[in-house]
Amino acid sequence: MKRVVAALIVAGTLLLSAQTAPHSSLLHATRQAPTDLEVGGAGQFISYQDLLQLPQVSFMTSNDANFPAPAQVSGVALDQVRRLLGADADMVVAICKDGYRSNYPASYLVAHHPVLVLTVDGKSQDSWPKAENGGELGPYVVANPSFTPSFKVLSHSDEAQIPFQVVRLDFRNESEVFGAIAPHGNFAPGSPVMDGYRIAQQNCYRCHNMGAEGGHMASLAWPVLAAMAKGSPEFFARYVRNPQALNPHSKMAASPEYDDQTIAALRAYFVTFAPGEQK
């Protein structure tokens, strides 16, 4: 399976590099249809039909929460879109209608080959199955041809980044995006603070924000999490492990698998953002 996926992606990359039309010809300055995808965060859009003209990758989904029943999906690899429309960037950020964000640094793109899905069982968005919450999956959803965790930090394993209701792709530099939440102070690799930082990059940052960076789905910004971590350690641990126990209406995913060492690392990391803790 992995060899087939790799061959498809290599072939798609060769086809993409052979295109002679400049990428600007694919973009327009206004949204002309609900299925237009915003790219770059600068008020530019690419149409669904133009995305369909890019080299496609097809596979059967498995272990994907967006597709409880396996489905044949086809789309364009995120890294191909990056190469075409954001070649100077080293990561892709998928932004959803509700403010949720999935970050795809170079390491994730290489390990998992995420795909911007364009058809499901040969059908366009209006015929896709519903999302887990009963809403629409589209206009876009991201899926992985196959997923095996590529890293583990304490009790946090690499997680599949499979957002739905994606409305925008940004092409960014990892140093800028993750730099916004770099811990305040100097800490050795493998220290609790740096372990917490690595976990927060993939988990917390999807919904919580640091200013303009990060997700804007959650109401609690980074400084609030920092204050919680410093002032209410027990509440912080309960919030991370089972947010619905504190707020039944919370949409935050629970992390009951996080052991005490993992919670301590997250706390140590967030506390560096609390007033008076910066070093």
Side-chain angles (χ1 to χ4, degrees), residues 14-22 26 53-55 84:
L14 291 175
L15 285 169
L16 183 61
S17 63
Q19 291 185 356
T20 57
L26 298 175
Q53 301 309 306
L54 301 179
L84 182 66

Side-chain angles (χ1 to χ4, degrees), residues 251-269:
K251 296 180 180 179
M252 176 175 163
S255 299
E257 74 280 8
Y258 282 7
D259 59 18
D260 289 346
Q261 188 179 7
T262 304
I263 294 293
L266 280 171
R267 278 199 61 246
Y269 162 71

Side-chain angles (χ1 to χ4, degrees), residues 242-252:
N242 189 3
Q244 284 73 33
L246 301 172
N247 176 8
H249 301 291
S250 175
K251 296 180 180 179
M252 176 175 163

